[in-house]
Structures are given as structure tokens and as C-alpha cells.
Amino acid sequence: MNPKQLRELIIRPTLHTLNAWSPAAEDLMMGTAAQESHCGRYIRQVGCSGMVGAFGVWQMELATARDIYDNYLRYKPELKVAVEKLRGAGQSITDALTSNLAYACALARIHYLRVPGAIPTDLAGQAAYWKQYYNTKHGKGTVAEYLDNWTRYAK
């Protein structure tokens, strides 16, 4: 997917819809997409099927999406309404994560909203932030890989 179009047509408007936009948030969403799916080259975790694995450009697992609903959106009704409008009627969470770019972007951004503190403004800081809070210490991704994928897919 064209990174400029992903940024300008999906990420930026979605973050504005959620009232969760900042230059750092926009860059972090680009970096996360670059790292997780090579900016949309993969929309389903390789080697997974059914409800197992990660879905969409931001490669979110169903358990993570459900946790966002159960433990965050439940207490933020206005934000939940905005997210549900992006999802659309009748679309399952996994289908929406896979095929609905705005919805998938929104859930990835909300995942980061749950993290205390500000998003770093520099690329190296964002790479470390992604590793700690999105990929986690148990994930296979690395800060170096994020930086490389940023240069390759998000720039």
C-alpha cells in the first residue's frame, strides 16, 4: 500500500475522528503499520487461520481487540460510539480488523491510548515504545527491525 495514501487518507482522518491525533501519534501509527504488515503487504498473520493470529494492517489479535472493548471502551462511551461507527453494522471484529482500514487504525491507536505517558516524538523512541507496548517483550519484533521497516515502508 502506498504509505503516503495510508497516512493521508486513513491514519490522519481516523485519528482526528477519535480526537487522538498528534504528529507523534500519526508517525507511530505509520511505524506500527510498517513494522507489522509492511504497510499492508500482509493483512493476515502468515501461517495462521481461523481466529488464531493477527489481523489487518496493524496485525491485531482478536484477544487484544476484545480487551480494548472490555477494559477501555466500556468506560469511554463516546469513543466506543465513534469506533462502532467506523466498524459498521454487522461486521465482525476480525472481519473489520482485516478489511476496514479506519477501524483497524482506530483500534491500534486506542491500544496506544491505554499506555500512560506521551508518545515519543523521535523515531528511535517510537520504535522502543512500539516494542514495549505493542509487540511486548514476548514478541519476536525488534527495535532495529522497526527502524529498518520504517525506512523501507513508511518514509
Side-chain angles (χ1 to χ4, degrees):
M1 182 177 316
N2 180 292
K4 184 175 190 272
Q5 289 189 0
L6 179 62
R7 178 185 290 274
E8 293 176 359
L9 301 176
I10 304 300
I11 293 172
R12 188 173 299 147
T14 300
L15 299 187
H16 280 294
T17 295
L18 301 176
N19 293 317
W21 180 88
S22 70
E26 187 175 303
D27 285 344
L28 179 64
M29 296 308 298
M30 278 300 301
T32 302
Q35 172 61 22
E36 295 293 333
S37 71
H38 299 171
C39 277
R41 181 173 182 198
Y42 303 100
I43 58 168
R44 188 69 170 87
Q45 186 174 350
V46 175
C48 294
S49 62
M51 295 295 117
V52 176
F55 300 85
V57 172
W58 287 272
Q59 293 289 290
M60 183 171 285
E61 294 179 359
L62 179 57
T64 302
R66 285 185 175 151
D67 186 65
I68 287 168
Y69 274 90
D70 293 344
N71 296 305
Y72 191 78
L73 291 177
R74 176 183 187 175
Y75 305 103
K76 308 271 187 195
E78 290 178 11
L79 184 57
K80 183 178 180 180
V81 166
V83 169
E84 287 300 294
K85 282 182 183 176
L86 291 173
R87 183 165 100 176
Q91 195 172 37
S92 72
I93 291 173
T94 54
D95 286 347
L97 287 171
T98 303
S99 64
N100 183 328
L101 292 171
Y103 176 79
C105 178
L107 282 195
R109 178 64 181 105
I110 291 167
H111 181 77
Y112 286 120
L113 282 175
R114 297 167 39 157
V115 175
I119 297 169
T121 57
D122 65 296
L123 184 56
Q126 288 181 7
Y129 191 85
W130 162 83
K131 176 60 185 167
Q132 182 175 2
Y133 297 114
Y134 203 89
N135 185 252
T136 77
K137 65 182 178 181
H138 304 294
K140 294 180 182 177
T142 67
V143 168
E145 187 179 72
Y146 181 105
L147 294 169
D148 182 54
N149 284 327
W150 170 269
T151 302
R152 185 175 298 162
Y153 300 107
K155 209 169 188 182

